[in-house]
Amino acid sequence: MSDVISDASLRLAGNSPSQKKSFHVSGSPFALLLAFMFALMLLSGCAGSDSSKDDTDIWSEAKLYSEATDKLNDADFAKCGKYFEKLEARFPFGPYSQQAQINSAYCYWKAQEQAQALVAIDRFIKLHQGSESLDYAYYLKGLITFNDDLGWLGKFTGQDLSERDPKAAKEAFESFKVVVDRFPDSKYAPDALDRMRYIVNSLAEADVIVARFYYQRGAYLAAANRAQLVIRDYDRAPAVEEALYILTKSYEKLGMVELSNDSARVFKLNFPDSQMMITGQRVKKERRWWQFWNK
C-alpha cells in the first residue's frame, strides 16, 4: 500500500532647513558614542535581514518543484511539505500548482502535521473537483483523519481505535465512502473499503465499551439503550455479540423477563457457538484495520 501512496504522491536621508541650527559636537566623546551606537544598529539590522532571508525566494518554479521532490524522495517530509506549499503559493497558476497542493498534504501527513495536511487537502478538494487525482485526494484525506498509529503507548497498553474519540473515525469513514461510491473503479477503492469496515467495527466496539460501563455500574436501562444502538447501527459488526449479551442481561436485571428471553433467542440464533452467556466473556481476536475479517 505504501508503494501505491508514494506513486500517487510523486505524480504528483538629507537634512531639512529646520535642522541647520543644530549644534555640532564633532570630535567630542559624545559624538563618538553616538557614532558607535549608530554603527551597532546598522550591523544588527543587517544581521537580522540576513537571518530572515529565504534562499528559495530566488528559485524558479522548476527548481522549487525539483528540490521539493528530492526532499520527498529522501523522506524529509517536513521540508518537502514546506517547499511544495511555497511552490503553490508563489506560482498558483503554474503547471505544478495542483500537484504541489496534493504533495504538500501528503508530506505534512507523513511528517505527522495533521492540521496542516488537512488544510492542504481540503483546499485541493475545494478547488479541483474536476481533477483526475480527486479519488486519491479523498483517499488521502481519509488516511490523514484515520490515523490508526496509536504510538508506543497505545501498542504497550493494547489500545484499540475503538477506545479513542470516534469523531475522527467517522470523518475518515466519510472520506473513504466518497472514494468507494464516486470512484468504484479507483485503485484506492478496495483499500478504502477495507478501512471502512474496520472503522465500522471500531465504532461498534466503542459503543459496546460504553454499554459495558453502564451495565457494570448498575445503569441497566442506559446499558440496554446503548446496546440497542449497536445492534441497530452495526448489525454485522463482531461487537453485536456482546451487545446482545448486555441487552439480555440488562433486561433481566430490570425484571423485563419477556424482553430478556427474546434477546437471548436472537443471541443463540446469531451466535450458536458462543459461550458468552455462560462465561460472560467474548473471545476477541487481535486485529488491525487490515484484518477486518477477524470476527
Side-chain angles (χ1 to χ4, degrees):
M1 183 190 70
S2 59
D3 293 336
V4 173
I5 299 174
S6 299
D7 175 64
S9 66
L10 288 172
R11 300 187 260 171
L12 301 150
N15 293 330
S16 64
S18 61
Q19 294 175 321
K20 290 181 179 180
K21 295 183 180 180
S22 60
F23 63 93
H24 296 279
V25 287
S26 178
S28 69
F30 180 69
L32 293 175
L33 179 61
L34 286 177
F36 178 71
M37 293 177 62
F38 183 68
L40 283 179
M41 292 173 62
L42 287 177
L43 288 173
S44 63
C46 292
S49 61
D50 289 338
S51 63
S52 62
K53 183 178 180 180
D54 187 349
D55 292 338
T56 64
D57 288 345
I58 62 174
W59 290 357
S60 66
E61 182 178 8
K63 166 74 171 176
L64 191 50
Y65 183 80
S66 176
E67 292 291 333
T69 303
D70 287 344
K71 295 301 180 184
L72 174 58
N73 292 332
D74 294 339
D76 189 349
F77 298 117
K79 185 157 287 186
C80 85
K82 293 177 181 177
Y83 280 5
F84 279 122
E85 188 175 39
K86 287 177 181 289
L87 176 61
E88 191 266 330
R90 287 180 55 196
F91 307 98
F93 305 107
Y96 304 113
S97 178
Q98 285 193 34
Q99 193 64 43
Q101 281 185 15
I102 206 165
N103 281 7
S104 65
Y106 173 81
C107 290
Y108 281 133
W109 169 57
K110 295 295 287 184
Q112 299 183 346
E113 297 286 349
Q114 187 187 44
Q116 290 175 281
L118 283 175
V119 168
I121 202 63
D122 282 339
R123 184 169 65 247
F124 180 90
I125 291 173
K126 181 179 180 180
L127 297 177
H128 307 292
Q129 276 294 308
S131 172
E132 294 181 354
S133 300
L134 192 60
D135 59 334
Y136 173 69
Y138 278 108
Y139 175 71
L140 179 57
K141 182 177 181 179
L143 292 178
I144 294 168
T145 316
F146 182 67
N147 188 25
D148 75 321
D149 183 4
L150 303 176
W152 70 269
L153 183 59
K155 293 181 176 68
F156 179 77
T157 60
Q159 186 186 30
D160 186 71
L161 187 65
S162 62
E163 299 171 14
R164 305 168 72 190
D165 184 357
K167 181 176 182 292
K170 291 178 180 178
E171 292 175 352
F173 181 91
E174 292 302 321
S175 296
F176 291 135
K177 190 173 186 297
V178 173
V179 179
V180 173
D181 291 347
R182 291 180 55 181
F183 311 97
D185 298 325
S186 169
K187 63 181 178 180
Y188 308 108
D191 186 69
L193 185 58
D194 288 350
R195 291 174 185 270
M196 287 171 65
R197 290 168 177 163
Y198 175 73
I199 290 171
V200 166
N201 291 346
S202 296
L203 292 174
E205 291 285 351
D207 277 342
V208 161
I209 290 172
V210 175
R212 188 191 310 145
F213 174 85
Y214 287 145
Y215 181 80
Q216 292 172 345
R217 282 153 183 77
Y220 302 120
L221 182 58
N225 289 337
R226 185 56 66 104
Q228 285 179 328
L229 287 178
V230 176
I231 298 167
R232 184 193 70 190
D233 296 341
Y234 312 106
D235 62 325
R236 297 184 182 182
V240 169
E241 178 186 359
E242 186 172 354
L244 279 168
Y245 169 80
I246 292 174
L247 186 63
T248 301
K249 293 299 182 179
S250 295
Y251 282 148
E252 183 181 299
K253 293 290 186 179
L254 290 168
M256 301 177 177
V257 179
E258 186 175 349
L259 290 175
S260 179
N261 291 337
D262 287 344
S263 299
R265 281 193 294 269
V266 174
F267 181 94
K268 292 177 182 178
L269 180 64
N270 287 275
F271 304 97
D273 300 324
S274 175
Q275 298 296 309
M276 191 169 188
M277 283 295 180
I278 301 172
T279 66
Q281 299 294 324
R282 175 161 59 102
V283 178
K284 293 170 61 178
K285 296 180 180 180
E286 183 179 354
R287 58 185 172 82
R288 299 283 283 171
W289 65 262
W290 60 87
Q291 299 169 324
F292 63 89
W293 52 85
N294 282 355
K295 301 297 184 183

